[in-house]
Amino acid sequence: MSATFLSVTALVPVGPGPFSVTTAEAAVARTIEVRGNTRIERETVLSYLTIQPGRNYTSSDIDESLKALFATGLFATVDIQPRGGTVVVTVTENPIINQVAFEGNRKVNDNALRTAIRSQERSMLTRARVESDVQNILEAYRRSGRFDASVEPKIIDRGSNRVDLVFEINEGDKTGVERISFIGNNSFSDGRLRDVIRTRQSGLLSWLRSTDTYDPDRLAADQEALREYYNRKGYADFRVVSATADLDREQNVFFVTFTVDEGERYEFGDVEVVSSIPDIDVNDLYSEVRTRPGNRFDSLRVEQSVEDLTLKASELGYAFAQVRPRALRNYEDNTISLIYYIEEGPRAYVERINIIGNDRTREYVIRREFDLAEGDAFNRVLLDKAERRLNNLDFFDSVRISTARGSAPDRVVINVEVMEKATGAVSFGVGYSTSDGVIGDISVSERNFLGRGQFVKVGVGGGTDTQTYEFQFVEPFFLGRRIALSLDAYRRVQDSNDYRSFNEEQTGGGFGFTLPLREEELRLRLYYNIFQEKNEDPDSKSTGVGNCDTSRLSLAVCDSLGEYMTSLVGYQLIYNTLNRNINPTDGFYASFGQEFAGLGGDSTWIKTTAKGRAFHEVLPDYGIVGAVKLEGGHIHALTDDRLRVPEQFMLGGNLVRGFENRGIGPRDSSTDDAIGGRFYVAGSLEATFPFPILPPEIGLSGSVFADAGSVWDADDDLVNIVNGGPGTVLSNGFDIRSSVGVGIQWQSPFGPLRADFAWPVSKQDEDKTQLFRLSGGTRF
């Protein structure tokens, strides 16, 4: 076996060599002889020649023939020599590739490299193609953040003019981003803007992520993310002047610099809706406008207003209506007045929607995100909305929607190009909390089940005192409508511990429907749930007051022991404008819901709960985020049956730090058992800030907080049961407990961890306090 290394350089004939030309003045080619061809037919060679038998030819004809034969890629060498009246064409055929292999690659697999190259098995080997393949392989490594990689092509002769092509790869070290700098940012610190973009600086956690490498596509997306962030913060004139990535080859690192021009910050001025369509009453459209005078300018609100006005006009019978916002800046008071112009647009129809790149995702999953179909009136606003929806699915790495002219001037073809990504996950978690001890879980989930856009999850978990089993299924488009159907089944087993004096088992399931009332913000959820609950004495396994050890368990707890079934229906109204659901820095979340138990089963009650959370960057330059949280609830028995202890509200360190779980509220004086209450309220003020002296990639942040809350008014029958025994019910009134404290959060490689130190400010003598609280976990 012999081996030859290819030098990847352009092969240019100079003087005598494989491409040699004998100067010939006008001569006649009586015959043409082809030599050296084994696989390629003589007629194929002759078809590329400009020299024809029986005709005159010159040296220029020989040159053109040489170029034409070489351009075919079929030959390694070509030689044309006149010999009297005969023209001899001697060729050396390029070998056939027997096998393409890669050596030394660990970070980029063979399949990814094969898609990057043009040389394939059973194809001709050409130097130009190999040179191109080398560059493509290097580009693939640059995309993965390895700019120090090198590639050496190697040819192994297998005889019979067949060869193996081997690319020997030295991957080199990962080329990280050493520093990300911003020039021209006065309103937001470098640290805050680094959180906005996807590219990250290299650091201690670089081995866990791939976004700390230079990627030109990601850098372009980062510029758009900065523009969107500033535009949502009121900076309508913001622009990225330049975005550069400088490679330091000695250190093998990049230095990324964004130069920005923030401009002034604006508020919304006057807002007006004007229509050139006579039958549209603009007074009926103001409710669709989300931009309010005096509010901070927000480009997303403008886009949403355009979409809502367009859809409303379509509902009124004007499918071709176009809404064009016009912004009028007032530089003196930094306001932007908006006029939404509604007018008849050009009559164009959707001829065809082409879906490209969906190898796994079913085509209808993509099509249903469009508010238009073939034959409908074409509207660009609806395309932008569909693109945003497809990106929000999180099924694709990229989504690109473009248009092309159809078969007629009033026909438009829509091309949707997607690049799919993995949507399944096998994950396990482990964590620890002061209330439940060590906990862990493992789950298998798929966000795009069988390419149908459905969500499926199966999981099991357990810990010192708990075991959980769950199954979830979500169909986001039930019966072809934008209504999400959810099915779930679960089983939870909780043993007694320091906070709960009885064992509790719950097995159940249910289904629900979620309807969007105002897309991306307001949703309504309707659901049904049924579960069987079993509560028992952890020692005697007995149930009922007569068999309960009242010296150890409260009479109220004993009354709640046993097996019973609960069948309930409920609804929940959810309003969400958070910029992200995990660690939000801006926006508002609110929910209001009620549950009605009594559709069969052993429980009859109505429960009402409400929650609200608001987040805002108090000092953006320093990354300080303020949060206000408030929630409360009430449960009321609908019949003469009394409420059970597990059905009532419990309150403790989960909402008011500084107290144990179930450490607040009505309590049996004889056993110290918490029995809960029919009312509860809790609130919190918190400021979160990064540690300025630590690198941001460590993920440590601190917080200061103040919590307050109360749970009160236990069921009257439960109170009478307790007061009729050896004890009495304590702390049954509305008495606010409060605490202040500090916390440390760590977004560790193993998941979020949080430690809180809290000191009660106001409390009752019967309350159970807790200075330190640790919670956290991970998911891999």
Side-chain angles (χ1 to χ4, degrees), residues 426-447:
V426 178
S427 60
F428 67 90
V430 63
Y432 175 82
S433 73
T434 46
S435 60
D436 296 316
V438 178
I439 54 177
D441 66 75
I442 183 170
S443 65
V444 179
S445 64
E446 171 57 62
R447 300 194 310 276

Side-chain angles (χ1 to χ4, degrees), residues 116 124 126 231 247 326 342 618 636 641 660 712 718 779:
M124 289 276 190
T126 68
N231 285 174
L247 175 62
R326 181 182 178 188
I342 304 177
V618 180
H636 174 70
D641 293 338
E660 290 183 355
W712 71 97
L718 289 179
R779 196 164 293 280

Side-chain angles (χ1 to χ4, degrees), residues 363-383:
E363 188 167 299
Y364 70 83
V365 173
I366 298 174
R367 287 182 177 272
R368 69 190 183 189
E369 298 300 331
F370 287 78
D371 287 330
L372 44 75
E374 281 94 344
D376 288 350
F378 173 79
N379 194 302
R380 183 73 226 185
V381 171
L382 299 183
L383 289 192

Side-chain angles (χ1 to χ4, degrees), residues 21-28 50-51 55-65 80 82:
V21 181
T22 300
T23 302
E25 298 186 3
V28 177
T50 60
I51 305 172
R55 295 183 183 178
N56 294 337
Y57 69 94
T58 65
S59 59
S60 61
D61 292 317
I62 295 178
D63 291 337
E64 291 299 323
S65 298
I80 300 178

